C-alpha cells in the first residue's frame, strides 16, 4: 500500500517535471524560430535546429512518464525483480 502510494507520487512528480521541461524546451525552439536567432559562431547556425533535439527528447520523456503513471494507476505496471533475490544457490 505505502509503496504503491510512493510510486504514484514519484511518477506524478516526474510527469509534472517532464511536462514543464517539454513545454519550455518546445517554447524555446519555437521562439528561436520566430525571432530568427542564430549562433554567434562563424557558421551562424539557426538556434532552433540544435534546440529541436532537446524539444523532441523531452516530449518523448513526457510520453514515457505519462504511460508509466497510467499503467501504475490501473495496476498493470510490471515491477522489476532483481536476479539476486530469485537465485537460491
Amino acid at each position: 500500500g505505502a509503496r504503491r502510494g510512493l510510486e504514484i507520487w514519484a511518477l506524478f512528480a516526474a510527469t509534472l517535471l517532464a511536462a514543464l521541461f517539454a513545454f519550455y524546451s518546445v517554447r524555446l525552439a519555437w521562439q528561436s524560430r520566430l525571432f530568427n536567432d542564430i549562433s554567434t559562431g562563424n557558421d551562424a547556425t539557426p538556434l532552433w535546429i540544435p534546440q529541436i533535439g532537446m524539444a523532441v527528447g523531452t516530449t518523448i520523456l513526457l510520453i514515457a512518464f505519462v504511460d508509466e503513471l497510467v499503467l501504475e494507476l490501473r495496476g498493470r505496471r510490471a515491477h522489476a525483480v532483481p536476479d539476486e533475490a530469485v537465485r537460491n544457490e
Side-chain angles (χ1 to χ4, degrees):
R3 178 183 170 150
R4 186 167 189 270
L6 286 174
E7 290 272 347
I8 290 172
W9 181 85
L11 284 170
F12 181 76
T15 302
L16 180 64
L17 288 174
L20 289 172
F21 290 150
F23 174 76
Y24 285 110
S25 63
V26 168
R27 181 176 156 193
L28 177 67
W30 185 263
Q31 286 179 345
S32 292
R33 176 78 172 106
L34 288 178
F35 300 145
N36 294 321
D37 284 344
I38 57 172
S39 68
T40 57
N42 290 336
D43 60 353
T45 303
L47 288 178
W48 66 269
I49 294 173
Q51 289 170 350
I52 199 78
M54 182 173 170
V56 169
T58 55
T59 303
I60 292 171
L61 180 67
L62 172 62
I63 292 168
F65 275 129
V66 168
D67 179 49
E68 288 295 315
L69 179 61
V70 169
L71 287 176
E72 182 67 34
L73 289 173
R74 290 183 176 181
R76 297 172 49 189
R77 186 165 168 249
H79 295 281
V81 177
D83 285 343
E84 294 178 13
V86 176
R87 293 184 192 156
N88 262 342
E89 295 179 15

